[in-house]
Amino acid sequence: MEYAIELKGISKSFGPVAANKNINLSLVKGEILALLGENGSGKTTLMNMLSGIYMPDSGSIFINGKKVSINSPEDSGKLGIGMVHQHFKLVERFTALENIRIGMRNVKSVLIRNNVRKNIEETAAKFGFNIDLDKQVSNMSVSEKQTLEILKVLCYGAKIIILDEPTAVLTVQEIERLFAVLRKMKEEGHSIIIITHKLNEVMSISDRVAILRHGEYIDTVVTKETNEKALTELMVGHKIELNIERPIMEKTHPLLEIRNLTVKNDEGMIAVDHMNFYIRGGEMLGVAGIAGSGQKELCEAIAGLRKIEDGLMIHEGKSIVGLSPKDVLAHGVAMSFIPEDRLGMGLSPSLSITDNIILKNYNDSKGIFVNRKNGRAEAQKVIERFEIVTPSTETPVRRLSGGNVQKVLLGREIKSGPNVLITAYPVRGLDINSSYRIYDILNEQKKKGVGILFVGEDLDVMLALCDKILVMCHGALQGVVNSDNTTKEEIGLMMTGSLNIVDRYGKTAGIAKDSVITDEEGKAE
């Protein structure tokens, strides 16, 4: 058996924190290896040492059987290694062609530049890429940017490809196209490592699966000889139930009604176009759409963070249009917003858990002093209720893992007793253990009669967790479907605009009559 990569005894620490501990890992030539592990297990750190971003503290790296030293990304590239990072490394103002050229040296003459274009086009055709080389990156979809990143490393001669969470924001159809490309690359002799949290994708695309836990290598298993449950147990170290609960609650009246809502983005373009829907108590409404389809602007408008151009937002019969976030809360909406930017918009990373809990209601303090004693007590309650792993209530949230950061944010918002909860990508980047705890927390609120707007990416999760799914495409409503009566493929088509099951006025077309507000008074049909 020939190995493209062999890692022997690799260790890497950052101060007192050991990210990788004596890792032994191999990649067979011409295989697709999935790399699994919880958040903080050391997956990306390990791959960053192969890409030249970090250097190991100890251990040896062998490429194609030869011991090598990788001290920079340039060294990595010369060894035929290309990494497609979760956050793309592209120049937004450049075209696709220019982004590929900037990584090539000594391309000066017109003749050579023309040959470069020809070579890129031939590479794209060989692997079935459909890309406009003259298109500016800022005008590209997420899928197009990812295609460009993969094409870029192939054009640089990479035979070993590393992909970090490549499917995080892709539609079902885009994932299928990506996997077709990866299989083609494998046929052409490329060796591929894919980091992902999605176990169904691991089972679909990989030949073998390597598992890390707490920075240590656990095992490598043949994919066709294992299953999702066994992989999960290896990853977290104990048994875990993979079924997502969807409690069915008695239907109540709409708590939040959105009528003909129109919102612009930061560039002044229409981001939400005449949107109509409502959320009832005890109901979880999912929002699906390709990244940048207006989800962010929709959530911010409801929370009072973004001005609306037209339409109505009504909470229990009262308009909340024009209210500030503070007024929205004071209005009695008891509506909490959990943004996708946890450490930025949601929480202050340098402040402690206690101070972040206090931030929500510091205006309620009497006098000029904040009661930190009560704040610490509230923080301790949140820590205990949501099983947050932390040394103390005074730990800065930036020192917590992604799952624990999300629990702090959820705990703070839920503590105020909302009856409408707006949450954007609550499990983005979280491992399976943390994700399932977040699902449980949301279901606990649903059982209490809270109406939940769940903006997500994983359609399998949304179909299992949400009662209904609202689909957006370029800011427009494509339809609201019942989770029991639709498929991932149908939702994927709606996300790309290939299928629309409601007309511009929001009237139903083959969906539940109670799922879209339609008449002039905004009442449900």
Side-chain angles (χ1 to χ4, degrees):
M1 186 178 292
E2 291 186 85
Y3 293 105
I5 295 175
E6 292 175 274
L7 303 178
K8 298 182 179 181
I10 297 294
S11 296
K12 179 66 179 178
S13 296
F14 298 94
V17 179
N20 293 136
K21 310 169 192 173
N22 195 35
I23 300 289
N24 294 290
L25 188 72
S26 63
L27 173 68
V28 177
K29 284 188 176 182
E31 80 164 346
I32 299 178
L33 176 73
L35 188 57
L36 274 182
E38 293 185 275
N39 296 115
S41 62
K43 305 183 299 297
T44 301
T45 297
L46 188 64
M47 294 301 100
N48 280 338
M49 282 186 275
L50 282 173
S51 67
I53 294 175
Y54 299 143
M55 287 180 285
D57 297 331
S58 61
S60 302
I61 299 174
F62 293 82
I63 303 297
N64 298 321
K66 296 181 180 180
K67 186 176 180 179
V68 299
S69 178
I70 303 176
N71 300 314
S72 68
E74 186 176 8
D75 289 346
S76 178
K78 289 178 180 178
L79 291 167
I81 301 171
M83 184 166 178
V84 178
H85 298 268
Q86 186 174 2
H87 302 290
F88 303 138
K89 310 296 184 182
L90 298 170
V91 180
E92 291 283 318
R93 293 179 66 87
F94 284 7
T95 65
L97 179 60
E98 290 167 338
N99 268 278
I100 296 175
R101 276 179 175 165
I102 57 176
M104 295 179 172
R105 305 237 174 154
N106 303 318
V107 179
K108 297 179 180 179
S109 73
V110 173
L111 179 61
I112 295 176
R113 287 201 299 270
N114 287 340
N115 286 339
V116 167
R117 185 185 185 100
K118 181 180 178 182
N119 291 335
I120 294 171
E121 290 172 343
E122 289 175 350
T123 302
K126 179 179 179 180
F127 292 100
F129 290 118
N130 182 17
I131 188 168
D132 181 357
L133 293 178
D134 297 313
K135 190 172 184 178
Q136 192 166 300
V137 170
S138 60
N139 296 323
M140 288 184 172
S141 67
V142 174
S143 177
E144 288 176 313
K145 291 178 181 179
Q146 186 180 77
T147 297
L148 174 57
E149 285 279 26
I150 297 173
L151 180 58
K152 188 170 68 171
V153 297
L154 289 172
C155 289
Y156 295 166
K159 295 294 289 183
I160 299 169
I161 312 295
I162 303 167
L163 300 106
D164 191 358
E165 297 287 354
T167 65
V169 292
L170 301 184
T171 66
V172 175
Q173 288 78 10
E174 289 169 340
I175 291 171
E176 290 175 353
R177 287 196 292 271
L178 171 64
F179 283 2
V181 169
L182 296 184
R183 293 187 182 102
K184 177 67 174 175
M185 289 165 60
K186 173 185 167 182
E187 290 174 6
E188 294 291 332
H190 289 80
S191 307
I192 301 166
I193 298 177
I194 179 171
I195 301 174
T196 179
H197 287 119
K198 300 178 182 179
L199 294 177
N200 61 322
E201 295 178 2
V202 169
M203 299 302 296
S204 170
I205 192 63
S206 67
D207 298 300
R208 294 190 304 151
V209 187
I211 298 97
L212 302 184
R213 188 196 313 148
H214 304 311
E216 297 181 345
Y217 170 77
I218 302 301
D219 198 4
T220 298
V221 297
V222 177
T223 306
K224 64 183 179 182
E225 296 176 359
T226 189
N227 55 54
E228 293 185 17
K229 186 174 182 181
L231 290 174
T232 301
E233 291 176 6
L234 284 171
M235 188 165 55
V236 303
H238 57 80
K239 291 186 177 181
I240 184 172
E241 181 56 56
L242 292 178
N243 294 324
I244 297 176
E245 181 187 7
R246 191 208 303 163
I248 305 301
M249 309 304 297
E250 183 178 350
K251 296 178 180 179
T252 70
H253 65 284
L255 294 176
L256 178 67
E257 300 177 56
I258 303 300
R259 308 181 189 174
N260 205 38
L261 184 68
T262 300
V263 183
K264 290 183 178 180
N265 59 23
D266 294 337
E267 286 72 43
M269 306 296 290
I270 296 295
V272 179
D273 191 3
H274 298 88
M275 185 71 66
N276 288 281
F277 67 90
Y278 66 76
I279 306 172
R280 295 174 294 190
E283 176 178 70
M284 195 178 307
L285 175 64
V287 178
I290 296 172
S293 291
Q295 303 96 315
K296 177 175 180 283
E297 290 81 3
L298 173 64
C299 291
E300 291 178 353
I302 296 172
L305 293 167
R306 184 175 292 272
K307 177 185 175 182
I308 74 170
E309 300 299 315
D310 191 18
L312 295 173
M313 299 186 296
I314 299 171
H315 177 264
E316 294 192 311
K318 297 180 180 179
S319 174
I320 57 172
V321 172
L323 298 183
S324 67
K326 177 182 176 182
D327 291 336
V328 168
L329 293 172
H331 182 266
V333 173
M335 183 161 57
S336 291
F337 174 40
I338 300 168
E340 57 184 302
D341 182 9
R342 295 190 282 268
L343 290 178
M345 181 181 288
L347 298 169
S348 177
S350 60
L351 295 182
S352 67
I353 298 174
T354 296
D355 289 333
N356 272 283
I357 295 295
I358 291 173
L359 280 176
K360 183 75 175 181
N361 52 11
Y362 76 95
N363 278 330
D364 297 338
S365 301
K366 296 180 180 180
I368 62 174
F369 298 105
V370 175
N371 190 328
R372 298 196 83 258
K373 181 179 179 181
N374 288 346
R376 277 191 293 271
E378 290 292 335
Q380 188 60 43
K381 289 179 183 178
V382 170
I383 289 170
E384 292 173 0
R385 180 180 177 187
F386 296 100
E387 302 173 4
I388 297 169
V389 179
T390 177
S392 75
T393 60
E394 302 309 302
T395 302
V397 295
R398 59 181 164 80
R399 295 184 181 174
L400 304 179
S401 69
N404 287 306
V405 168
Q406 187 68 307
K407 288 177 187 177
V408 170
L409 184 51
L410 265 171
R412 186 189 69 188
E413 298 304 313
I414 289 172
K415 180 180 70 70
S416 63
N419 67 2
V420 175
L421 189 61
I422 312 296
T423 177
Y425 310 106
V427 298
R428 175 181 278 174
L430 302 189
D431 59 66
I432 192 166
N433 209 23
S434 298
S435 297
Y436 274 71
R437 180 57 185 136
I438 298 301
Y439 303 148
D440 289 341
I441 291 170
L442 294 176
N443 275 328
E444 288 169 9
Q445 295 305 300
K446 178 182 172 181
K447 290 176 182 178
K448 293 178 180 180
V450 175
I452 302 171
L453 187 72
F454 181 97
V455 181
E457 295 165 330
D458 191 321
L459 295 185
D460 287 308
V461 168
M462 294 180 72
L463 285 167
L465 186 66
C466 301
D467 301 291
K468 296 183 299 188
I469 299 175
L470 180 156
V471 186
M472 299 179 69
C473 178
H474 301 304
L477 175 67
Q478 298 298 107
V480 181
V481 294
N482 288 316
S483 297
D484 291 330
N485 301 324
T486 190
T487 64
K488 285 196 303 180
E489 289 71 24
E490 182 179 56
I491 294 174
L493 290 172
M494 294 167 69
M495 288 168 63
T496 58
S498 301
L499 177 64
N500 187 319
I501 61 174
V502 294
D503 67 21
R504 61 179 296 187
Y505 300 104
K507 294 182 179 179
T508 60
I511 56 177
K513 286 187 177 181
D514 63 356
S515 51
V516 179
I517 295 171
T518 61
D519 67 11
E520 292 180 358
E521 296 178 356
K523 297 177 181 178
E525 284 189 333

